[in-house]
Amino acid sequence: MILIIDFGSQYNQLIARRIREHRVYCQIEPPRISLEEIRAIAPEGIVLSGGPASIYGPKSPKADTGIFELGIPVLGICYGMHYMVNALGGKVWQAQKREYGLAELCVKHDTGIFEGIKEKTKCWMSHGDAIERQPKGFRIIGSTANTKGAAVENLKKGFYGLQFHPEVSHTPKGKKMLSNFLFRICGCKKTWTMRSFINGSVRKIRSVVGDKKVILGLSGGVDSSVTALLLHRAIGEQLTCIFIDNGLLRQGEAADVKKVFKKHLKVNLRFVSAKKRFLSGLKGVVDPEKKRKIIGHTFIEAFEREAQRIKGVTLLGQGTLYPDIIESRSAFGGPSAVIKSHHNVGGLPKRMKLKLIEPLKHLFKDEARRLGKELGLPKNLIWRQPFPGPGLAIRIIGDVTQARLSVLRKADAILFEEIVARNLDKKLWQSFAVLLPLKSVGIMGDQRTYEDTVAIRAVTSTDAMTADWARLPHSLLGSISNRIINEVRGVNRVVYDISSKPPSTIEWE
Ligand code: XMP
């Protein structure tokens, strides 16, 4: 395994994913990790990440310099290289010319990390500091026009420093460099597979759980579904999943989850129909934040009530993923302003005096999906687009009623059918319908109509932090519009949302 020390770079998660793509397990830890902890996890090598600080600045993050005495290879990237150079007696100072974007790297010695890489290759730079003097035992192995020490090595010790970012796709040979570091320099083996992850996790879960009972809130989304299956594989009947049907789900969704988990996967599932409670709580509420709060509270109440019926529960399973963990303890990130309060169950374990068990907490989303496949989760659940906890309530602008839910569900199902028919569902981050509180005049047959408007939202994104409206083919928009207006009673107009995030958000509320 490889240890990545996190100095706060925006590319940290990318480094981890690149390493795991090579089937080598890695873990990201903050700089304060102690030498004893590092010895305990026994990495084959260490990667020091980039970061926004300057090594000579007052608040520059530092790790224990004992890492250089462990006898294992170290790769410093950008700030990580500055930290290493500085710690080993070299000097880093403001570069004469800052360097951002693509640069041409001249490889001077194609050994070690550059083995098999020809003289010139592109690399991605983003820095204002540079090496002024390298530490003893180091030599320069690559330069760019502006940066003499773009790559340095201490061959004997297996220490490497790269000023540029090998983890980004703009550095075409970055993958090769990382693979050289992992396999030639650190001697790692390709052992990180989902099957090995399952075996290890099952053992760990069994030892943590013992003969106790675990409950889990199943939403039908990828994270909770995969967590359910992994826990089920490890502890079988000791796991009870609770599915709260809030009446705000898409067409056929609740029945689908029930069928898949109960019938096919034989998971112990309690299906709670709480539609009425949610709808009566939402009656007359139009403010988006109020809707979210009401749904959050009602969910917790319903979940707690059901959980109390199961005797002897001490653990709560949760589908937390690695990015949630990394982001919540980031060296520089702070809590950002609340734009929308997320429906989450963070308060649950404390209220119910339960201990958390989070078996996916070291996995990225794509790995969770691969794990789901390995555990037999059907494709349509693995590849589901994200769906917000408050469900259709935040896609009905204005009052949420049974009748309006039914209109939106039909429109949304048609939209999705058309998107799937064109094979676009996996290419889009999300695609859904929104019901507007807006009636307009139309004509159907010879009759004047005065009916509702449906908006279509389809976006592309990689992480939902930013999103662009999808350039759907006009013919597809045409067939979605035709079908919705013809097949859904009460709708006579369809519009397409062409706003990006920011400044708009993906969901309308
Ligand atoms: P926005 O609307 O903020 O949404 O651009 C970003 C992403 O988050 C999803 N979303 C939620 N997911 N609970 C969730 O689990 C929520 O309350 C919630 N609100 C928004 C949204 O669908 C999009 O993918």
Side-chain angles (χ1 to χ4, degrees), residues 292 340-343 386-390 429-430 464 501 505-507:
R292 285 172 174 273
K340 297 174 183 183
S341 56
H342 263 213
H343 159 80
F387 184 66
W429 176 264
Q430 273 169 301
K501 173 182 180 175
T505 51
I506 297 176
E507 304 288 347

Side-chain angles (χ1 to χ4, degrees), residues 188-205:
C188 293
K189 299 249 152 46
K190 292 183 182 250
T191 51
W192 165 247
T193 62
M194 277 309 137
R195 196 154 297 165
S196 68
F197 175 81
I198 293 174
N199 293 336
S201 300
V202 163
R203 271 198 305 275
K204 231 183 280 168
I205 293 168

Side-chain angles (χ1 to χ4, degrees), residues 294-307:
I294 291 166
I295 293 165
H297 292 150
T298 314
F299 176 86
I300 289 179
E301 275 164 30
F303 187 86
E304 225 170 359
R305 191 175 310 169
E306 192 61 27

Side-chain angles (χ1 to χ4, degrees), residues 21 89 116 118 159 171 190 205 255 276 292 311 318 328 336-337 343 367-368 408 432 443 456 475 481:
E21 277 164 20
K118 291 267 176 299
F159 294 165
T171 302
K190 292 183 182 250
I205 293 168
K276 281 200 187 122
R292 285 172 174 273
K311 294 281 164 278
Q318 219 166 61
S328 69
S336 46
H343 159 80
E367 293 171 329
L408 179 58
F432 55 87
I443 174 155
I456 297 169
S475 58
S481 164

Side-chain angles (χ1 to χ4, degrees), residues 234-449:
I235 56 168
E237 289 291 300
Q238 284 164 267
L239 169 74
T240 306
C241 295
I242 300 176
F243 180 88
I244 309 283
D245 182 6
N246 58 11
L248 306 169
L249 300 171
R250 290 164 292 188
Q251 196 159 285
E253 207 170 358
D256 223 31
V257 171
K258 198 172 178 178
K259 199 170 89 193
V260 168
F261 281 87
K262 224 176 171 143
K263 252 180 130 173
H264 296 325
L265 301 167
K266 312 270 183 248
V267 170
N268 195 355
L269 175 70
R270 291 188 173 220
F271 188 92
V272 181
S273 182
K275 289 180 196 174
K276 281 200 187 122
R277 259 179 277 164
F278 280 87
L279 265 187
S280 70
L282 285 169
K283 198 164 177 208
V285 179
V286 296
D287 178 74
E289 274 303 287
K290 275 202 190 124
K291 282 184 186 174
R292 285 172 174 273
K293 296 253 157 70
I294 291 166
I295 293 165
H297 292 150
T298 314
F299 176 86
I300 289 179
E301 275 164 30
F303 187 86
E304 225 170 359
R305 191 175 310 169
E306 192 61 27
Q308 272 155 7
R309 298 205 172 119
I310 311 163
K311 294 281 164 278
V313 173
T314 51
L315 290 146
L316 175 71
Q318 219 166 61
T320 316
L321 293 183
Y322 207 19
D324 306 326
I325 305 255
I326 302 167
E327 275 151 29
S328 69
R329 62 164 194 216
S330 148
F332 295 90
S336 46
V338 175
I339 309 291
K340 297 174 183 183
S341 56
H342 263 213
H343 159 80
N344 68 48
V345 289
L348 259 183
K350 219 165 158 194
R351 255 174 85 122
M352 299 180 65
K353 301 200 176 64
L354 296 175
K355 250 176 72 186
L356 269 185
I357 178 163
E358 300 168 299
L360 308 189
K361 71 176 177 194
H362 284 123
L363 296 190
F364 290 104
K365 189 93 177 185
D366 53 324
E367 293 171 329
R369 288 200 161 112
R370 287 216 316 269
L371 176 61
K373 190 172 167 214
E374 192 79 32
L375 290 167
L377 193 65
K379 266 197 188 137
N380 63 327
L381 285 183
I382 294 177
W383 290 106
R384 252 180 50 140
Q385 293 178 352
F387 184 66
L392 299 182
I394 55 164
R395 292 179 180 173
I396 292 177
I397 315 305
D399 202 5
V400 181
T401 62
Q402 195 65 267
R404 291 179 71 72
L405 275 165
S406 156
V407 169
L408 179 58
R409 240 177 228 132
K410 286 181 194 143
D412 190 68
I414 291 172
L415 181 150
F416 203 64
E417 258 177 52
E418 292 293 316
I419 297 274
V420 170
R422 303 256 185 151
N423 249 331
L424 285 173
D425 51 319
K426 290 186 203 93
K427 293 196 184 106
L428 297 170
W429 176 264
Q430 273 169 301
S431 48
F432 55 87
V434 180
L435 185 58
L436 306 188
L438 177 74
K439 285 191 190 301
S440 69
V441 174
I443 174 155
M444 254 184 205
D446 288 330
Q447 299 283 319
R448 174 190 189 272
T449 58

Side-chain angles (χ1 to χ4, degrees), residues 83-191:
Y83 163 71
M84 174 163 68
V85 164
N86 188 65
L88 298 176
K91 189 169 178 211
V92 172
W93 199 242
Q94 254 167 15
Q96 303 218 316
K97 281 192 187 142
R98 291 159 160 245
E99 207 172 13
Y100 292 97
L102 273 185
E104 189 155 70
L105 175 77
C106 292
V107 173
K108 294 207 160 112
H109 299 282
D110 59 349
T111 52
I113 202 155
F114 288 158
E115 192 153 324
I117 296 169
K118 291 267 176 299
E119 265 172 29
K120 285 201 169 109
T121 179
K122 293 263 181 290
C123 68
W124 183 257
M125 288 283 195
S126 167
H127 70 116
D129 294 341
I131 300 181
E132 221 172 69
R133 187 185 71 237
Q134 68 258 26
K136 244 170 108 187
F138 276 75
R139 65 171 179 172
I140 290 176
I141 55 170
S143 309
T144 65
N146 290 336
T147 309
K148 197 163 164 245
V152 293
E153 86 176 340
N154 180 332
L155 195 60
K156 214 166 116 206
K157 301 224 167 194
F159 294 165
Y160 288 84
L162 301 178
Q163 180 59 75
F164 56 89
H165 290 271
E167 68 277 20
V168 305
S169 56
H170 311 288
T171 302
K173 296 283 182 212
K175 201 171 167 190
K176 173 84 179 143
M177 295 172 199
L178 285 177
S179 129
N180 282 341
F181 180 70
L182 296 174
F183 303 113
R184 291 181 186 278
I185 299 167
C186 298
C188 293
K189 299 249 152 46
K190 292 183 182 250
T191 51

